[in-house]
């Protein structure tokens, strides 16, 4: 074999070895790229999981803040209502103590003879005192319930009986035994009343 042929074969072998080396390097490079991609994917998954956990925690904290703010608002609202009720109804016990005094003045006026000169001055004095007292308590939200002639209202009236009456429609108040009172529209005492059964005659068999 000539030297030229030997050199040609040697060159071919060198090229084959170089090609194999290049292929091995390419495979190694590919393997390295795949490994880097795999690690990158794992890292991305870890970061996504961490992000999801962080977002869930933020959402939970936001929910807790919203709940706390709502609870504070509810407490403030309840406190404001309690203060308002305290202002409105602080006089309830005091007014209840005054009601018998007003009742006694009314009884005194009903029992006195307004035309009698000997008691006229006393009658006028008691009447003026009663009007002044009623006007004073009315300034603080106290209202009198005097339902004579009005339809019976079980929320404000207490019926002690029913009687037939030609002058009053059925289920209307025909007589007030004791007047009722409201404090800021809350019932302090119902009016004690007699209710009419009406004056019609039942002609049905």
């Amino acid at each position: 074999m000539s030297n030229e042929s030997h050199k040609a074969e040697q060159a071919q072998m060198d090229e084959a070895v170089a090609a194999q080396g290049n292929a091995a390097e390419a495979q190694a490079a590919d393997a390295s790229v795949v490994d880097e991609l795999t690690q990158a994917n794992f890292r991305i998954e870890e970061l996504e999981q961490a992000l999801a956990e962080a977002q869930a925690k933020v959402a939970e904290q936001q929910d807790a803040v919203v709940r706390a703010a709502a609870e504070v608002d509810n407490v403030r609202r309840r406190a404001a209502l309690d203060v308002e009720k305290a202002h409105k109804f602080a006089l309830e016990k005091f007014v209840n103590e005054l009601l018998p005094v007003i009742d006694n003045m009314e009884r005194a006026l009903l029992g006195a003879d307004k035309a009698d000169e000997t008691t006229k001055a006393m009658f006028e004095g008691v009447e003026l005192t009663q009007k002044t007292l009623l006007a004073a308590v009315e300034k603080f939200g106290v209202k009198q319930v005097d339902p004579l002639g009005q339809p019976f209202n079980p929320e404000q009236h207490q019926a002690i009986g029913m009687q037939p009456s030609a002058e009053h429609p059925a289920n209307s108040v025909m007589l007030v035994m004791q007047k009722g009172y409201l404090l800021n529209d809350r019932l302090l005492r119902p009016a004690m009343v007699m209710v009419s059964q009406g004056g019609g005659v039942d002609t049905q068999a």
Side-chain angles (χ1 to χ4, degrees), residues 8-185:
E9 288 179 0
Q10 186 65 38
Q12 289 178 355
M13 290 178 62
D14 291 341
E15 289 178 359
V17 170
Q20 288 178 355
N22 291 336
E25 289 178 0
Q27 288 180 351
D30 290 342
S32 177
V33 169
V34 170
D35 185 54
E36 289 179 0
L37 288 174
T38 302
Q39 290 181 359
N41 286 332
F42 283 144
R43 184 58 179 159
I44 290 172
E45 289 179 1
E46 290 177 355
L47 292 174
E48 287 179 346
Q49 184 176 357
L51 178 61
E53 291 175 357
Q55 288 176 336
K57 191 170 183 179
V58 168
E60 182 180 350
Q61 290 177 345
Q62 286 178 338
D63 184 61
V65 169
V66 170
R67 288 176 182 272
E71 182 63 25
V72 169
D73 190 51
N74 288 336
V75 169
R76 285 177 180 168
R77 190 178 294 110
R78 285 195 296 268
L81 289 174
D82 289 342
V83 170
E84 184 180 357
K85 286 181 180 179
H87 286 159
K88 277 188 175 181
F89 305 112
L91 294 175
E92 184 171 353
K93 290 183 179 179
F94 178 67
V95 174
N96 277 323
E97 293 295 325
L98 285 180
L99 294 186
V101 178
I102 298 173
D103 292 338
N104 288 334
M105 287 183 177
E106 190 160 352
R107 292 189 191 100
L109 293 174
L110 290 173
D113 184 2
K114 189 176 182 180
D116 188 349
E117 291 295 330
T118 58
T119 59
K120 185 176 181 180
M122 184 185 68
F123 180 91
E124 290 176 351
V126 173
E127 185 178 40
L128 180 61
T129 303
Q130 184 198 35
K131 287 181 179 179
T132 304
L133 182 56
L134 288 174
V137 295
E138 189 173 351
K139 291 178 181 178
F140 294 93
V142 178
K143 293 181 181 179
Q144 198 176 64
V145 179
D146 186 8
L148 183 63
Q150 298 176 9
F152 176 72
N153 180 3
E155 294 182 359
Q156 294 185 357
H157 310 155
Q158 180 180 349
I160 62 170
M162 297 186 72
Q163 290 183 357
S165 172
E167 297 178 0
H168 297 87
N171 294 320
S172 65
V173 176
M174 59 180 292
L175 183 64
V176 179
M177 285 78 164
Q178 188 181 61
K179 293 175 183 176
Y181 288 89
L182 301 169
L183 175 60
N184 291 313
D185 296 325

